[in-house]
């Protein structure tokens, strides 16, 4: 298509985007209400075999990001003889999974696991789906020393160890089937292949995702945080996985995307990530996202390379690359270099001492007279004190300079002391960041001091509660926060239907006292092949000068339309009350289609 013709087509399309959105929403709603043929029974064909016995799962395992994800529900945890606790941390949820006498710590949407104090790349990020945690299966078994193999052709993940089957699996099978089921031919072939050297070849697949987004604002538009717009997005992905002739396990994802939103990288979003792993060495090239610590390289995207080597006592990281964003108000490109070393302090308990250094510099042809440099040094400790108690501490110092003349420096430190058992968890955090501390590769509020204590307890098989207190001091203002939560499974016949009640009271004491109360109720359910997440939130903000209210409703529906086609519909409505009213509505519809099977 000629470029001019493409521009004309886009203009005509978005003259009335609400018509397009209405038609797409109507199609999604009809598809969501129509049960998929595959949803009548478990037809995914994906299985997990542990020492020759099928792992019982009430929920289907899900293939994603080149691996098979296992749902960590009660059936799986009891069969594996494992248990898991949930701890809120760093504005996200942290999890501790105790399995095979090992402690596995992880966060959602983060590839890094900590297994008895040692960092481990899972090759995929755990994620939450309607209250359930899905974990990369191959990484789960390898983290505790088992041999695991994921066979995409047969859809079977096998794990083996020279010992009896894990406790609970055989018993669970007998309860469900009455007898241990005999292995099928594909299962026997997959098990045989797991004990042999697989053929060294690459498997690949490709998929396409199309998405439409519409945002409308009515009433007082100046009170809205979002501008009106309507855009289309399309992404084409090619994924590779396999073993190379030199023995390295190779994984790669190529993403090429287009959008009508020209403010986002001029309408193009491209990405390429490549990973090589062999024994104790791992390489990553091009689009990388290394993670060193709390104050250095914390989920910071780069284009470059990352090297990791795991030794008996020392683990080494080296990262170099170019940052996507400019540094503060600088007009120069940013280059980043970092090195980190971890040393194990004990062979009997997971205790690791780490230290790192990251530098960020402006480089390139002169644009103005000022070039910025930021250097950050940090040292941290992660130690298991007892079976229940764990300590994490970190101290960092950042030095920033302008043309090496105007230099400022500051420090930051944090201490986390957590306690976890099978039914409860308690986390206490202290953090203090000076007003002059700056680390370009992390995110935080300068000049903040915070003390928090959060407690979670499992009341029964169908109820879990949490409460806590946080005290923040920022810019001379002291803020008190009191979060509470209660999660329930109200119907025993429908364990996938969950209700969560979340509340947060926040009070700031200063010249203009402010109090904010947030109440939210969440509903999660699965009907046929449709997963539903509905949330209602009401927030009241009161100060000496004015009062403001916000009501928010969010609906998300994920539907499996066929074996290769899935959709996601999202609708959000926010209503603001102050002197005048503002209503914001944003809707999005996304379709993902796997165009080619594994080859």
């Amino acid at each position: 298509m000629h470029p001019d013709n493409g521009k004309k087509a886009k203009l005509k399309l978005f003259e009335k985007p609400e018509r397009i959105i209405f038609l797409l929403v109507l199609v999604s709603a009809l598809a969501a209400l129509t049960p998929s043929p595959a949803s009548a029974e478990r037809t995914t064909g994906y299985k997990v075999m542990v020492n020759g016995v099928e792992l019982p799962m009430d929920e289907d395992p899900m293939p994603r990001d080149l691996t098979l994800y296992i749902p960590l529900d009660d059936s799986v945890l009891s069969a594996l003889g494992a248990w898991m606790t949930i701890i809120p941390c760093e504005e996200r949820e942290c999890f501790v999974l105790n399995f095979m006498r090992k402690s596995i710590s992880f966060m959602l949407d983060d590839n890094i696991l900590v297994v008895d104090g040692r960092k481990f790349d899972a090759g995929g990020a755990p994620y939450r789906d309607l209250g359930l945690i899905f974990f990369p299966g191959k990484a789960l078994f390898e983290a505790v020393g088992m041999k695991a193999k994921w066979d995409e052709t047969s859809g079977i993940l096998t794990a083996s160890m020279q010992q009896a089957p894990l406790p609970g699996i055989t018993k669970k099978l007998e309860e469900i089937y009455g007898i241990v089921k005999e292995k099928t031919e594909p299962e026997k072939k997959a098990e045989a292949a797991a004990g042999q050297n697989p053929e060294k070849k690459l498997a690949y697949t490709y998929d396409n995702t199309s998405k439409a987004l519409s945002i409308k604002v009515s009433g007082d538009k100046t009170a809205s945080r979002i501008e009106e717009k309507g855009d289309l997005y399309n992404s084409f992905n090619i994924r590779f996985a396999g073993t190379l002739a030199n023995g390295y396990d190779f994984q790669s994802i190529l993403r090429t995307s287009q959008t009508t939103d020209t403010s986002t990288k001029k309408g193009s979003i491209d990405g390429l990530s490549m990973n090589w792993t062999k024994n104790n060495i791992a390489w990553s090239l091009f689009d990388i996202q290394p993670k060193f610590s709390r104050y250095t390289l914390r989920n910071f995207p780069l284009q470059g390379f990352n090297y990791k080597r795991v030794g008996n006592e020392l683990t080494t990281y080296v990262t170099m690359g170019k940052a996507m964003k400019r540094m503060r108000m600088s007009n120069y490109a940013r280059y980043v270099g970092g090195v980190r070393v971890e040393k194990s302090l004990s062979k009997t308990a997971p205790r690791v001492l780490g230290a790192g250094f990251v530098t960020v510099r402006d480089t390139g042809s002169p644009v103005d007279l000022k070039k910025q440099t930021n250097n950050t040094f940090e040292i941290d400790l992660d130690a298991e004190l007892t079976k229940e108690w764990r300590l994490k501490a970190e101290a960092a110092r950042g030095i920033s300079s302008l043309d090496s003349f105007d230099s400022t420096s500051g420090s930051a430190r944090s201490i986390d002391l957590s306690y976890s058992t099978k039914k409860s968890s308690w986390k206490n955090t202290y953090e203090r960041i000076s007003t002059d501390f700056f680390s370009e590769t992390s995110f935080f509020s300068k000049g903040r001091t915070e003390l928090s204590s959060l407690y979670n307890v499992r009341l029964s098989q169908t109820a879990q509660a949490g409460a806590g207190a946080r005290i923040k001091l920022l810019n001379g203002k002291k803020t008190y926060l009191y979060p509470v939560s209660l999660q329930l499974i109200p119907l025993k016949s429908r364990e996938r239907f969950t209700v969560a009640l979340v509340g947060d009271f926040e009070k700031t004491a200063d010249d203009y006292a402010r109090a904010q109360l947030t109440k939210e109720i969440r509903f999660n359910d699965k009907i046929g092949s449709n997963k539903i997440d509905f949330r209602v939130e009401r927030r009241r903000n009161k100060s000496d000068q004015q009062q403001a209210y916000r009501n928010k409703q969010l609906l998300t529906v994920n539907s499996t339309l066929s074996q290769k086609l899935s959709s996601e519909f999202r609708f959000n409505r926010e209503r603001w009350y102050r002197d005048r009213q503002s209503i914001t509505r944003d809707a999005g519809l996304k379709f993902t289609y796997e165009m080619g099977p594994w080859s």
Side-chain angles (χ1 to χ4, degrees):
M1 178 183 292
H2 191 275
D4 294 337
N5 294 336
K7 291 180 180 179
K8 292 178 181 179
K10 291 179 183 177
L11 290 174
K12 291 181 179 180
L13 176 63
F14 287 100
E15 284 178 356
K16 294 184 177 181
E18 63 274 7
R19 294 185 179 180
I20 302 297
I21 298 301
F22 175 77
L23 291 176
L24 292 175
V25 169
L26 180 61
V27 171
S28 177
L30 291 175
L33 294 175
T34 304
S36 170
S39 66
E41 56 183 273
R42 292 184 58 181
T43 57
T44 60
Y46 299 110
K47 295 181 181 180
V48 179
M49 306 295 297
V50 182
N51 282 353
V53 180
E54 182 182 350
L55 180 66
M57 287 178 280
D58 295 337
E59 194 67 28
D60 291 329
M62 300 293 293
R64 179 178 177 179
D65 294 341
L66 307 174
T67 189
L68 188 69
Y69 280 72
I70 299 176
L72 297 182
D73 56 11
D74 289 337
S75 64
V76 172
L77 292 177
S78 62
L80 294 176
W83 52 274
M84 182 173 63
T85 57
I86 305 174
I87 302 176
C89 69
E90 299 181 2
E91 301 181 356
R92 294 178 3 187
E93 288 179 311
C94 289
F95 298 84
V96 178
L97 179 64
N98 289 275
F99 175 40
M100 296 286 290
R101 298 182 180 179
K102 290 185 179 291
S103 177
I104 305 173
S105 303
F106 64 95
M107 294 173 62
L108 293 186
D109 304 320
D110 193 330
N111 289 24
I112 302 300
L113 312 178
V114 180
V115 184
D116 285 347
R118 288 180 174 269
K119 290 188 177 180
F120 180 79
D121 192 342
Y127 66 95
R128 181 190 289 279
D129 185 6
L130 286 181
L132 279 181
I133 304 300
F134 283 81
F135 198 91
K138 186 172 181 289
L140 173 63
F141 296 113
E142 289 181 342
V144 296
M146 301 179 71
K147 293 183 179 180
K149 176 177 173 59
W150 162 233
D151 191 312
E152 296 89 359
T153 305
S154 63
I156 297 176
L157 172 65
T158 57
S160 60
M161 179 178 280
Q162 298 298 325
Q163 65 173 35
L166 294 173
I169 295 182
T170 304
K171 181 180 178 181
K172 193 77 175 180
L173 282 173
E174 291 175 349
E175 292 175 358
I176 298 174
Y177 303 113
I179 58 172
V180 178
K181 296 177 70 176
E182 186 178 352
K183 302 173 194 154
T184 61
E185 286 301 322
E187 292 170 351
K188 292 179 181 179
K189 291 180 180 179
E191 280 191 79
Q196 302 173 359
N197 293 326
E199 183 182 353
K200 296 179 180 180
K201 63 179 182 179
L202 286 178
Y204 70 92
T205 186
Y206 40 95
D207 55 59
N208 196 82
T209 300
S210 299
K211 182 173 68 173
L213 176 67
S214 175
I215 299 177
K216 290 292 183 182
V217 181
S218 60
D220 185 4
K221 298 184 178 182
T222 62
S224 174
R225 299 175 293 108
I226 305 176
E227 296 182 357
E228 288 189 350
K229 68 176 183 177
D231 296 297
L232 292 177
Y233 301 82
N234 192 79
S235 176
F236 179 74
N237 304 321
I238 302 178
R239 299 176 291 166
F240 297 87
T243 303
L244 303 179
N246 57 8
Y248 275 89
D249 291 330
F250 175 72
Q251 291 190 12
S252 177
I253 302 178
L254 172 64
R255 298 182 176 93
T256 173
S257 306
Q258 295 294 324
T259 172
T260 56
D261 182 6
T262 55
S263 63
T264 304
K265 294 188 177 180
K266 299 181 180 180
S268 177
I269 310 171
D270 301 318
L272 172 63
S273 61
M274 297 178 288
N275 303 276
W276 294 264
T277 305
K278 182 180 180 181
N279 299 330
N280 59 342
I281 296 178
W283 288 87
S284 298
L285 284 182
F286 205 66
D287 287 322
I288 59 175
Q289 193 165 315
K291 182 177 180 180
F292 278 12
S293 66
R294 187 184 187 95
Y295 299 117
T296 56
L297 285 176
R298 180 180 171 188
N299 297 327
F300 190 74
L302 295 173
Q303 287 185 346
F305 80 91
N306 185 60
Y307 169 80
K308 174 185 175 182
R309 185 182 185 279
V310 180
N312 294 329
E313 294 184 355
L314 288 179
T315 300
T316 307
Y317 302 81
V318 178
T319 295
M320 294 185 67
K322 179 180 179 181
M324 311 295 184
K325 300 182 295 182
R326 309 287 185 181
M327 179 154 54
R328 295 189 184 178
M329 301 301 293
S330 172
N331 293 319
Y332 295 88
R334 287 173 17 182
Y335 288 87
V336 181
V339 61
R340 175 176 169 81
V341 178
E342 296 176 355
K343 178 176 176 58
S344 178
L345 302 179
S346 174
K347 296 182 179 180
T348 58
R351 296 176 183 175
V352 177
L353 179 66
F357 167 73
V358 175
T359 180
V360 183
R361 296 189 176 187
D362 285 342
T363 59
S365 301
V367 178
D368 53 33
L369 300 177
K370 297 179 180 180
K371 288 187 177 182
Q372 302 179 37
T373 301
N374 175 241
N375 297 319
T376 307
F377 306 84
E378 65 85 20
I379 183 170
D380 57 273
L381 174 67
D382 186 355
E384 182 182 279
L385 306 179
T386 65
K387 186 177 180 181
E388 294 82 15
W389 288 95
R390 193 177 197 94
L391 173 68
K392 292 183 179 180
E394 182 173 350
R397 186 160 192 86
I399 303 174
S400 299
S401 62
L402 209 59
D403 284 337
S404 302
F405 297 110
D406 185 11
S407 178
T408 60
S409 65
S411 61
R413 52 190 175 273
S414 66
I415 300 175
D416 289 344
L417 182 63
S418 59
Y419 173 84
S420 62
T421 64
K422 190 172 183 179
K423 293 186 177 180
S424 65
S425 63
W426 183 30
K427 182 178 181 182
N428 303 277
T429 301
Y430 170 77
E431 183 175 29
R432 184 171 183 178
I433 301 173
S434 68
T435 55
D436 294 325
F437 176 75
F438 187 74
S439 175
E440 182 68 28
T441 59
S442 184
F443 50 90
F444 46 82
S445 298
K446 296 194 298 181
R448 176 175 61 89
T449 301
E450 179 173 344
L451 179 64
S452 67
S453 180
L454 301 171
Y455 181 74
N456 287 273
V457 61
R458 188 168 187 174
L459 304 176
S460 66
Q461 293 293 330
T462 60
Q464 181 172 318
R470 299 171 61 192
I471 303 175
K472 293 194 302 183
L473 180 62
L474 179 63
N475 298 328
K477 299 179 181 179
K478 183 174 287 188
T479 303
Y480 301 87
L481 301 96
Y482 304 98
V484 293
S485 64
L486 178 63
Q487 184 172 332
L488 303 169
I489 302 177
L491 303 174
K492 290 185 178 180
S493 58
R494 291 187 58 81
E495 294 185 355
R496 289 306 305 272
F497 176 59
T498 61
V499 179
L501 306 174
V502 181
D504 189 10
F505 177 72
E506 179 178 336
K507 184 178 180 180
T508 301
D510 60 352
D511 295 337
Y512 301 99
R514 181 181 66 89
Q516 178 174 289
L517 177 62
T518 302
K519 296 179 288 185
E520 182 181 7
I521 182 170
R522 306 172 184 172
F523 301 93
N524 291 286
D525 201 1
K526 181 177 180 181
I527 302 175
S529 62
N530 309 300
K531 298 177 181 178
I532 303 170
D533 183 356
F534 181 60
R535 306 185 180 191
V536 178
E537 178 189 305
R538 178 174 174 81
R539 178 178 296 178
R540 177 186 178 185
N541 194 320
K542 182 180 180 180
S543 66
D544 294 339
Q545 295 179 324
Q546 63 180 359
Q547 291 192 45
Y549 300 87
R550 186 186 80 172
N551 290 340
K552 180 179 179 181
Q553 299 89 36
L554 174 62
L555 173 65
T556 305
V557 180
N558 290 275
S559 303
T560 302
L561 306 180
S562 68
Q563 188 176 2
K564 294 185 178 182
L565 178 64
S566 61
S567 69
E568 178 184 280
F569 169 67
R570 182 180 180 276
F571 178 78
N572 181 46
R573 182 180 185 270
E574 292 186 9
R575 188 172 185 177
W576 294 77
Y577 302 84
R578 197 170 282 143
D579 297 333
R580 288 178 288 180
Q581 232 181 84
S582 174
I583 301 177
T584 303
R585 303 176 183 88
D586 62 278
L589 181 61
K590 179 174 70 175
F591 291 95
T592 301
Y593 179 67
E594 185 180 1
M595 304 172 66
W598 283 99
S599 174

